[in-house]
Amino acid sequence: MHRFCCPDACRDGDQIRIEGSTAVQIRRVLRLSPGDQVVLFGLDEWEYTVQLERVDRDSAHGRVVCRGASEADPRCKVTLAMALLKGEKSEWVLQKGTELGVSRFLLMQTRRTVPAPDERRRDARWERYARIIREATEQCGRQRSPGVDGLLSFDQALAHPAELVLILHERATTRLTEVLVDGRRSVLDANLSVQHPGTHGVSGPDTLLLVGPEGGFTEDEVALATDRGARPVSLGRRVLRAETAALAAITLAMDAFDH
Ligand code: SAH
């Protein structure tokens, strides 16, 4: 069934009215007609299954046939701070990271970040990021889209509040998985019932993962992060591309904490 993030849909009892780009998508792109069902989310904390009753030129009307909570939203909070990457790689990480369950993305400019962001295209770029994230959210069944902040300095990214801050570094001697296992255990031991909005409770510590650019973090950056309480962690003996490292780290963190 087609899912749409549609914060501006109007609901009156069991009647729903959809306008704007979602209505265009319903009529022109997907050619849906009365009798077809769609899922809408983003209006409030619920997910609505709607049976279409009328599809007009600029709007669609339907009746709510069922309301439920999304099972797909992450139950832990993992923030990915990544250095802006070349070409479309950052976008690729935003898309896959959303599917994997990232709660928030921070895009950073670190010492060795290669692409100098073109200020003139800033708005277009951020609109594209927002669209990619929204489509990935719709596709994977999540209700809540991760936010994206940027462009931040490394310092600003480090200041993002988190209980566990991990800097991914190819020369670190501690493995990421060791720290994740400890993190989960400490949350369970402390029996902390940290409830994040829209999630279901005990999971793991709020985690910030920092991933460097193609050229890596400088030793100074790693030292600064360590000074501020971050732990340098490794994903193994091979040097990975930044996007590979980001997705591998997210996957492991979600596997450890998203229960
Ligand atoms: N400085 C390196 C490559 C950096 S790889 C060089 O040019 O030789 C880009 C980023 O991916 C790194 O900053 C790090 O955050 C992450 N990364 C790559 N391989 C990793 C590994 N084995 N363990 C942890 N992080 C890794």
Side-chain angles (χ1 to χ4, degrees):
M1 208 175 323
H2 296 286
R3 301 180 79 255
F4 302 99
C5 177
C6 199
D8 46 8
C10 289
R11 185 172 71 83
D12 182 8
D14 68 350
Q15 292 298 307
I16 292 249
R17 178 187 160 89
I18 305 158
E19 294 180 332
S21 61
T22 308
V24 171
Q25 183 90 348
I26 285 176
R27 194 176 79 92
R28 283 204 243 139
V29 183
L30 301 168
R31 297 177 185 282
L32 300 180
S33 46
D36 288 334
Q37 293 193 347
V38 295
V39 174
L40 299 184
F41 63 96
L43 287 82
D44 49 33
E45 73 274 31
W46 298 100
E47 208 172 79
Y48 296 93
T49 305
V50 174
Q51 173 142 1
L52 297 175
E53 293 182 330
R54 228 173 72 215
V55 179
D56 298 334
R57 228 182 118 69
D58 304 311
S59 63
H61 303 254
R63 189 172 51 82
V64 176
V65 292
C66 127
R67 184 181 83 160
S70 166
E71 271 301 300
D73 278 325
R75 297 171 186 190
C76 59
K77 204 163 155 195
V78 172
T79 299
L80 175 71
M82 65 162 170
L84 207 59
L85 302 176
K86 281 195 252 177
E88 292 178 358
K89 285 184 180 159
S90 304
E91 291 162 22
W92 197 77
V93 176
L94 295 177
Q95 184 189 58
K96 309 300 175 205
T98 301
E99 292 169 31
L100 288 167
V102 167
S103 287
R104 179 163 285 278
F105 296 95
L106 311 179
L107 296 178
M108 313 181 276
Q109 179 139 38
T110 62
R111 182 79 59 76
R112 295 191 186 136
T113 300
V114 178
D118 179 351
E119 273 310 305
R120 286 166 309 171
R121 300 228 199 96
R122 190 180 190 283
D123 290 352
R125 195 170 70 236
W126 285 89
E127 271 165 32
R128 204 166 58 242
Y129 292 163
R131 179 175 50 76
I132 288 167
I133 290 175
R134 192 184 66 244
E135 286 175 0
T137 302
E138 291 174 347
Q139 187 275 325
C140 73
R142 285 175 72 163
Q143 250 195 70
R144 284 167 196 275
S145 276
V148 50
D149 292 328
L151 206 55
L152 307 181
S153 65
F154 182 64
D155 244 33
Q156 288 171 319
L158 265 184
H160 189 81
E163 291 158 343
L164 183 63
V165 181
L166 305 173
I167 180 163
L168 278 291
H169 186 49
E170 53 283 7
R171 284 188 295 283
T173 48
T174 308
R175 288 273 187 141
L176 171 61
T177 39
E178 288 171 43
V179 179
L180 294 175
V181 168
D182 285 351
R184 175 150 176 80
R185 198 175 298 131
S186 67
V187 165
L188 292 178
D189 286 353
N191 199 18
L192 290 176
S193 184
V194 189
Q195 191 99 35
H196 299 299
T199 65
H200 302 246
V202 189
S203 46
D206 278 9
T207 303
L208 173 63
L209 300 170
L210 298 141
V211 177
E214 287 86 353
F217 287 120
T218 63
E219 289 306 326
D220 283 356
E221 285 169 332
V222 177
L224 175 69
T226 312
D227 270 0
R228 302 256 184 96
R231 297 190 56 184
V233 288
S234 150
L235 288 166
R237 290 185 306 270
R238 283 163 293 281
V239 176
L240 309 173
R241 299 259 190 189
E243 65 274 23
T244 313
L247 295 183
I250 297 161
T251 307
L252 291 171
M254 295 309 291
D255 187 56
F257 298 156
D258 188 27
H259 290 270

